Amino acid sequence: MTIYNFSAGPAVLPKAVLEIAQSEMLDYKNSGMSVMELSHRSSLFEEIIQAAESLLRELMAIPDNYKVLFLQGGASLQFSMVPLNLAQGKKALYVSTGSWSKKAISAAKALDNVEVEVIASSEDKNFTYIPELPETVDQNAAYVHITTNNTIEGTAFAKIPNFGKVPVVADMSSNILANDYKVEDFGVIYAGAQKNIGPAGLTVVIIREDLLNQEAVFAPMLDYALQAKNDSLYNTPPTYAIYIAKLVFEWVKAQGGVAGITEKDQQKAQLLYDTIEKSKLFTSPVRKDSRSITNIPFVTGDDALDKAFNQAALAEGFENLKGHRSVGGMRASLYNAFPTEGVEALVAFMAKFEKENG
Ligand code: PMP
């Protein structure tokens, strides 16, 4: 049976990438060692990390005045690192669009000398839309934080706001390399790798150089400037995850880059949204103009039927379709590596289920 993995993360990786990793597992480039066994100071690993960075720069057209950092601690550590580095003694503005932005807000609030203000929220309707943002914000604020794609709720920012000299900081964990956002529109972008980049354990941070703090942050590992000065090698980085990320970046490039991938992602999402729109059984809880092409929740409106669907889907090899416990129903995460055939199989299965249960 073919298994289709709809997991929200860690998520499906390109099979071609896993095959290369398999072929290089025991002996990387005649070194007699696995990548896992290479010193992070070796020339072979230096080639890997430098290639990973230059490929990401090429794929996202990252301008020269931005640093690329390969860190650890997940996107969740960035919830604290961003305010620690950018907002000490200042005001930090947040847009609240879901569970993950709420966690980012709580982490910033936990710091004594950061003043947090939520400038827009969609919590009134269970985060089922992207809220209207104010045209202008306090120009003395350190940044405005947004979550470009809300993994749990299935919403995404179609347009990145501009607040003059106040930089936009984005948690792009679930749609990095899936939307052709312009890096120039952001001061900081961060993303946990385990969706569109590679294995868990790696966090990518892209930061405009003028935002690197001039004063040292109290803990060296949490200091962007120090990490940048050491080219992400201040300590031992997650070497194997960086190696897989490099292979994924090569794969994205071979798919026509981010533009090619986005086009394919849009087609996959359209197939599922069209099915939901036509269905008399399934509905999308998300307002049309706010829909994510990456994480697509859908419900029947009847918990017992949702449960029956999820059980029947599992038996057919559709793994991890169960919706997040806060939303219920189903959620299909269609990351870059998720194959079109998997969406075709899912919509055929949905039609069959509707016929039998509608
Ligand atoms: N932000 C978003 C948008 C996410 O989807 C996730 C993880 N699913 C996180 C943050 C937290 O990431 P991590 O587990 O890497 O800390």
Side-chain angles (χ1 to χ4, degrees), residues 39 66 73 99 167 200 224 229 276 292-293 296 352:
S39 159
Y66 284 74
S99 308
Y224 287 138
K229 199 171 128 212
I276 295 168
S292 162
I293 60 166
I296 306 182
K352 183 169 157 270

Side-chain angles (χ1 to χ4, degrees), residues 73-76 79 100 147 149 151 171 173-174 192 194-195:
S76 299
F79 296 166
W100 292 113
T147 311
N149 187 85
T151 324
D171 175 356
S173 294
S174 50
Q194 64 272 23
K195 299 154 198 305

Side-chain angles (χ1 to χ4, degrees), residues 8-10 73-79 99-101 103 147-152 171-175 190-195 200-203 295 331 335:
S76 299
L77 186 58
Q78 295 310 308
F79 296 166
S99 308
W100 292 113
S101 31
K103 287 200 167 138
T147 311
T148 50
N149 187 85
N150 296 280
T151 324
I152 293 174
D171 175 356
M172 211 179 270
S173 294
S174 50
N175 72 343
Y190 64 87
Q194 64 272 23
K195 299 154 198 305
L202 167 65
T203 312
N295 306 96
R331 170 180 50 170
Y335 294 119

Side-chain angles (χ1 to χ4, degrees), residues 76-153:
S76 299
L77 186 58
Q78 295 310 308
F79 296 166
S80 301
M81 276 179 79
V82 166
L84 268 174
N85 282 267
L86 273 66
Q88 304 252 23
K90 294 189 189 163
K91 196 178 203 180
L93 310 179
Y94 282 79
V95 180
S96 181
T97 51
S99 308
W100 292 113
S101 31
K102 275 179 84 170
K103 287 200 167 138
I105 292 164
S106 303
K109 280 188 174 163
L111 301 174
D112 283 341
N113 58 350
V114 176
E115 189 190 336
V116 174
E117 190 190 329
V118 176
I119 58 165
S121 168
S122 51
E123 193 160 15
D124 61 337
K125 290 192 178 139
N126 215 12
F127 299 120
T128 51
Y129 66 102
I130 297 292
E132 197 64 44
L133 304 182
E135 297 246 313
T136 52
V137 297
D138 180 350
Q139 291 295 296
N140 293 318
Y143 57 80
V144 176
H145 181 282
I146 65 170
T147 311
T148 50
N149 187 85
N150 296 280
T151 324
I152 293 174
E153 297 80 6

Side-chain angles (χ1 to χ4, degrees), residues 53-74:
E53 175 172 342
S54 62
L55 281 159
L56 186 63
R57 283 187 176 278
E58 184 184 340
L59 290 172
M60 292 182 72
I62 300 174
D64 288 345
N65 63 326
Y66 284 74
K67 291 279 185 202
V68 173
L69 306 177
F70 296 116
L71 306 181
Q72 300 187 59

